[in-house]
Amino acid sequence: MKKLTLKDIASHFGVSISTVSKSLKDSSEISREVKVKIQEYAKEHHYKPNRVALNLLNKTTKAIGVIVPNILNYFFTQVFYGIEQSANARGYTIISCISDESYKKELQTVELLGSGIVDGIILSLSEETQARDNTEHLQNLIENHVPMVLFDRVTEKISCDKIVVDDFEAGYNTTKHLLKTGCNKIAIISTIYNSSVGKLRVEGYKKALRESGFNYDGKNVVEVGKNEDLQLLISLLLDNREIDAIIALDEMTAVDTLNILKLKGITVPDEISIVGFTNGRLSKYVSPALTMVSQHGKYIGELAANILVDRIEYEGEMPFTTKLVKTTLIERDSTKKDQ
Amino acid sequence: MKKLTLKDIASHFGVSISTVSKSLKDSSEISREVKVKIQEYAKEHHYKPNRVALNLLNKTTKAIGVIVPNILNYFFTQVFYGIEQSANARGYTIISCISDESYKKELQTVELLGSGIVDGIILSLSEETQARDNTEHLQNLIENHVPMVLFDRVTEKISCDKIVVDDFEAGYNTTKHLLKTGCNKIAIISTIYNSSVGKLRVEGYKKALRESGFNYDGKNVVEVGKNEDLQLLISLLLDNREIDAIIALDEMTAVDTLNILKLKGITVPDEISIVGFTNGRLSKYVSPALTMVSQHGKYIGELAANILVDRIEYEGEMPFTTKLVKTTLIERDSTKKDQ
DNA sequence: GTGAAAGCGCTAACAG
DNA sequence: CTGTTAGCGCTTTCAC
């Protein structure tokens, strides 16, 4: 026994398919008697209209595709959660895919989702895509008129709706804050030096230093590759120069850095302050609890879903927008108090 | 300009749709000349076959639906990650939904996914579904012959493939381990007392106590509701009885418990040992690092996806299986060493 | 070599 | 009131 179709029901009662269809829609065209028996039969046999057929007919799927680089990163799971909530509230399902920071997987996924199974796409570029700066697959999507919103890791080469964290300002504000607490030998530890996000934060940091009359020293920006030893790099950093604050560009690294400093017998924040990016679950549980920059992931997700659905449902022209979401510094105990 | 279809290409060249279809499949029926020009045109215009149409035709979508109660829980995100990896490797896409621990949302999602848009479903019951013990929606799915695999939070009422963590043994082993390290006044803090998982762990705990000749005391099992104050409950527990070990049934609670004990000036593990469930990212970063029970989330996800795909693709009978996945105790510094 | 026709499951306009 | 028809986009026989 396979899935029940209208045809099956029709032949069971010896009526036409459209009679069944109308009956199930409780159309006034159909006699009470027939409707009732068909409805009962359908209910009894758990008839469900085939959504794939409806999708084909309606040329809409009420689904949106989400592609994030990495679900194990708390920022993205928060965004994902926000998207899910908002999309659902507006009657859309989510098809979610993970690019795993790989260009190839992102490409494949985009091609798949672009082939009609979703009404629109929300995406954050994979690391590799940003490094290679190859965005043809996204251009194709645009040309095929698939609505898309890019968030967090975006590219200028594509015109579409975007939501970006104000990473420049975040870098600037974070640095400013550290300066105000009396730190001025500030280092950055970046695991995302290939991404727009990472670069912008560093730019903001430079600007803040410059404004306060300090020189930017490239050696103070430590780039940590995937398989590199953070502990070694930090030791190198601290051996060669005096440092009184460290900005870690992701949560994991912030926590790792804290532990490494503790291991070295350096007190936080008295000797070195730490600020990390992404206010996830780790940072408030370590001791001292870490001061973090929150990017409001859930909010970004909600925004992305709403903008996308607006575009999907709105007939006619709508200019593309880029929303800049401000970050918030959550002060805890790994930085000194502003005096 | 809308999406390009075979029809569009056909009328552009004044040929029939089937000629175009065959050309794009490089069929030997079609003349070299025609094929080439059609293929080129298609490539140039980024023609993509409409997947929805193909799905309808093939009666298969190469997609699997995943419903997890809560993506913010690290165990589930690990499972999700495992599913995504394995499913992808086998050529399937994931449609993921979050039930948010709500029966209603789970029901809606199941109905949606059961209507033909996926070839099979992987699901872990929402808390509310388990509490109400209402699984009719799943029974419908089975009757409609939608392949399904249940994991972690399962129900006996449904016959299908299942993957369960050996929570009974986990509770048993954890307790045994604590007993061996000299603790015998062991409390449990449970935020999941409504779920099968939570109950099994407590049963295992009872058995271990019994075997070692200790009485089970219901007052030592603290049930923490959603809005209840953990700190208060722990104070109450410790004021009323002597406790030398605490088993927390989720990671968050384990970390919270540790912090509360520290606040109270109780040293861990000397005065009280702590073991937590779900080996996530928090536990190894707090100090002392927490001894945790790992449920191997990613592995469970991979297993679930593989079993489901096997069932989807295998024609003919296949008995339902229930896989029991063993947990592993990851010893860190919140428990005393086995002497 | 190329095209017409049927059909996947469904809806809607139009006949009867 | 009920049925026929066309069509969503595609593939696949089967004619020509």
Side-chain angles (χ1 to χ4, degrees):
Chain A
M1 173 186 138
K2 40 152 203 147
K3 283 203 95 185
L4 195 65
T5 68
L6 288 189
K7 201 182 183 180
D8 299 331
I9 303 183
S11 71
H12 177 259
F13 286 108
V15 296
S16 77
I17 294 178
S18 50
T19 302
V20 178
S21 174
K22 286 171 187 159
S23 297
L24 295 179
K25 300 209 112 57
D26 212 25
S27 157
S28 56
E29 285 181 47
I30 308 293
S31 71
R32 198 150 186 67
E33 202 189 4
V34 176
K35 272 200 300 197
V36 169
K37 75 177 181 192
I38 288 182
Q39 285 171 3
E40 276 178 356
Y41 183 86
K43 186 158 292 174
E44 213 172 293
H45 293 261
H46 304 118
Y47 169 76
K48 295 259 171 52
N50 181 326
R51 258 224 150 51
V52 175
L54 289 176
N55 289 346
L56 180 58
L57 197 60
N58 301 330
K59 294 168 131 198
T60 173
T61 60
K62 285 286 192 176
I64 76 189
V66 179
I67 309 175
V68 291
N70 174 0
I71 192 78
L72 263 20
N73 171 323
Y74 196 63
F75 170 66
F76 287 118
T77 108
Q78 280 182 105
V79 174
F80 184 74
Y81 188 65
I83 293 174
E84 219 269 347
Q85 298 274 303
S86 286
N88 252 297
R90 298 191 61 173
Y92 284 73
T93 323
I94 298 299
I95 298 199
S96 60
C97 305
I98 306 173
S99 66
D100 243 331
E101 305 288 8
S102 137
Y103 168 72
K104 191 175 157 215
K105 202 162 167 217
E106 181 180 299
L107 172 67
Q108 289 172 340
T109 311
V110 162
E111 302 233 306
L112 176 75
L113 294 182
S115 61
I117 61 180
V118 296
D119 294 344
I121 291 180
I122 296 177
L123 176 139
S124 187
L125 296 182
S126 79
E127 198 181 303
E128 202 189 340
T129 307
Q130 287 210 312
R132 296 163 65 148
D133 196 25
N134 188 345
T135 54
E136 222 183 304
H137 54 309
L138 302 180
Q139 192 52 45
N140 286 184
L141 225 45
I142 299 294
E143 279 164 21
N144 274 324
H145 299 92
V146 180
M148 173 164 70
V149 3
L150 251 32
F151 75 93
D152 193 48
R153 280 137 66 154
V154 305
T155 170
E156 301 217 323
K157 294 164 94 181
I158 303 292
S159 327
C160 66
D161 293 307
K162 293 168 197 169
I163 301 170
V164 289
V165 175
D166 196 343
D167 283 295
F168 179 82
E169 198 198 74
Y172 176 81
N173 285 346
T174 306
T175 310
K176 270 288 191 203
H177 179 82
L178 287 170
L179 288 165
K180 265 196 278 180
T181 67
C183 301
N184 55 41
K185 292 176 276 300
I186 306 170
I188 287 190
I189 300 184
S190 175
T191 48
I192 49 171
Y193 44 90
N194 269 328
S195 80
S196 55
V197 170
K199 286 172 189 160
L200 282 168
R201 290 177 191 164
V202 173
E203 288 308 313
Y205 155 85
K206 285 187 196 171
K207 183 184 172 205
L209 287 183
R210 208 182 314 123
E211 274 187 15
S212 298
F214 295 102
N215 277 333
Y216 162 69
D217 178 352
K219 295 249 172 65
N220 280 347
V221 176
V222 180
E223 300 188 343
V224 185
K226 237 186 173 84
N227 296 311
E228 286 187 275
D229 185 352
L230 182 64
Q231 182 146 14
L232 188 69
L233 291 172
I234 289 183
S235 295
L236 239 54
L237 173 74
L238 300 183
D239 287 352
N240 289 324
R241 51 198 65 232
E242 207 184 324
I243 295 293
D244 58 15
I246 293 178
I247 301 173
L249 297 197
D250 67 282
E251 182 172 37
M252 217 63 157
T253 304
V255 175
D256 283 337
T257 301
L258 172 65
N259 285 333
I260 290 168
L261 294 189
K262 276 161 61 175
L263 226 63
K264 286 175 151 321
I266 296 170
T267 58
V268 176
D270 298 337
E271 295 176 72
I272 296 184
S273 295
I274 299 180
V275 182
F277 271 76
T278 303
N279 182 42
R281 278 174 297 193
L282 261 48
S283 35
K284 56 175 159 295
Y285 286 112
V286 292
S287 72
L290 289 168
T291 294
M292 300 295 282
V293 178
S294 166
Q295 302 134 318
H296 309 296
K298 189 175 171 224
Y299 173 72
I300 291 176
E302 291 167 352
L303 205 57
N306 281 319
I307 292 176
L308 184 65
V309 174
D310 284 347
R311 183 160 298 280
I312 290 170
E313 296 183 348
Y314 184 72
E315 329 269 324
E317 297 293 304
M318 220 172 101
F320 291 127
T321 62
T322 294
K323 287 243 193 272
L324 208 57
V325 176
K326 300 281 180 195
T327 58
T328 308
L329 188 73
I330 302 189
E331 276 192 74
R332 286 195 279 248
D333 312 322
S334 66
T335 45
K336 288 178 268 187
K337 295 288 158 263
D338 186 356
Q339 44 245 163
Chain B
M1 174 186 138
K2 43 153 201 150
K3 286 200 93 184
L4 195 65
T5 68
L6 288 189
K7 202 180 183 181
D8 299 330
I9 303 182
S11 69
H12 177 260
F13 287 108
V15 296
S16 78
I17 295 178
S18 46
T19 303
V20 178
S21 174
K22 284 171 188 162
S23 298
L24 294 178
K25 299 211 112 57
D26 211 23
S27 157
S28 56
E29 285 181 49
I30 308 294
S31 69
R32 193 146 191 68
E33 200 189 8
V34 175
K35 272 199 298 199
V36 169
K37 74 177 183 192
I38 289 182
Q39 286 170 3
E40 277 178 356
Y41 183 86
K43 186 159 291 173
E44 212 173 295
H45 293 261
H46 305 117
Y47 169 76
K48 296 261 170 51
N50 180 327
R51 245 180 210 275
V52 175
L54 288 177
N55 290 346
L56 181 58
L57 196 60
N58 301 330
K59 294 167 133 199
T60 172
T61 61
K62 285 285 192 176
I64 76 189
V66 179
I67 308 175
V68 291
N70 176 0
I71 193 77
L72 263 19
N73 172 323
Y74 196 65
F75 170 66
F76 287 118
T77 109
Q78 280 181 104
V79 174
F80 184 74
Y81 188 65
I83 293 175
E84 218 269 348
Q85 299 274 302
S86 285
N88 253 295
R90 299 192 61 173
Y92 284 73
T93 323
I94 298 299
I95 298 199
S96 59
C97 305
I98 306 173
S99 66
D100 242 332
E101 305 288 9
S102 137
Y103 168 72
K104 191 175 158 216
K105 202 164 167 213
E106 181 180 299
L107 172 67
Q108 289 172 342
T109 311
V110 162
E111 302 233 307
L112 176 75
L113 294 182
S115 62
I117 61 180
V118 295
D119 294 344
I121 290 179
I122 297 178
L123 177 138
S124 186
L125 296 181
S126 80
E127 197 181 304
E128 202 189 342
T129 307
Q130 285 209 313
R132 295 163 65 149
D133 197 23
N134 188 344
T135 54
E136 222 182 305
H137 54 309
L138 303 180
Q139 192 51 45
N140 287 184
L141 225 46
I142 298 294
E143 279 164 21
N144 274 324
H145 299 91
V146 180
M148 173 163 70
V149 3
L150 253 31
F151 75 91
D152 193 49
R153 280 137 65 155
V154 306
T155 170
E156 301 217 324
K157 294 165 96 181
I158 303 293
S159 331
C160 66
D161 292 308
K162 293 168 196 170
I163 301 170
V164 289
V165 175
D166 196 343
D167 283 296
F168 179 82
E169 198 199 73
Y172 176 81
N173 285 346
T174 305
T175 311
K176 271 286 190 204
H177 178 83
L178 287 169
L179 289 165
K180 265 196 277 180
T181 66
C183 301
N184 55 43
K185 292 176 275 299
I186 305 170
I188 287 190
I189 301 184
S190 175
T191 49
I192 50 170
Y193 44 89
N194 268 329
S195 80
S196 54
V197 170
K199 287 172 188 158
L200 283 168
R201 290 177 191 164
V202 172
E203 287 309 313
Y205 156 85
K206 286 185 194 172
K207 183 185 172 205
L209 287 183
R210 206 182 315 124
E211 273 187 16
S212 298
F214 295 102
N215 278 332
Y216 162 69
D217 178 352
K219 295 251 171 63
N220 281 347
V221 176
V222 180
E223 301 188 343
V224 185
K226 238 186 173 84
N227 297 312
E228 285 188 276
D229 184 351
L230 181 64
Q231 182 146 13
L232 188 69
L233 292 172
I234 289 183
S235 295
L236 238 56
L237 172 74
L238 299 184
D239 287 351
N240 288 324
R241 50 200 63 231
E242 207 183 324
I243 295 295
D244 58 14
I246 293 178
I247 301 173
L249 297 197
D250 66 284
E251 182 173 37
M252 216 63 157
T253 304
V255 175
D256 283 337
T257 301
L258 172 64
N259 285 333
I260 291 169
L261 293 190
K262 275 161 62 173
L263 227 63
K264 284 175 153 322
I266 296 169
T267 57
V268 176
D270 297 337
E271 295 177 73
I272 296 184
S273 295
I274 300 180
V275 181
F277 272 76
T278 303
N279 183 41
R281 279 176 297 195
L282 261 47
S283 35
K284 58 174 158 293
Y285 286 111
V286 293
S287 73
L290 290 167
T291 293
M292 301 295 282
V293 178
S294 166
Q295 301 137 53
H296 309 296
K298 189 174 170 225
Y299 173 73
I300 291 177
E302 292 167 351
L303 205 56
N306 281 319
I307 291 177
L308 184 64
V309 173
D310 284 347
R311 183 160 300 279
I312 290 170
E313 296 183 348
Y314 185 71
E315 329 268 324
E317 297 294 303
M318 219 172 102
F320 291 126
T321 62
T322 293
K323 287 245 193 272
L324 209 55
V325 176
K326 300 282 180 195
T327 58
T328 307
L329 188 73
I330 301 190
E331 276 193 73
R332 286 195 278 250
D333 311 322
S334 66
T335 46
K336 289 178 268 187
K337 296 287 158 263
D338 186 355
Q339 45 247 162

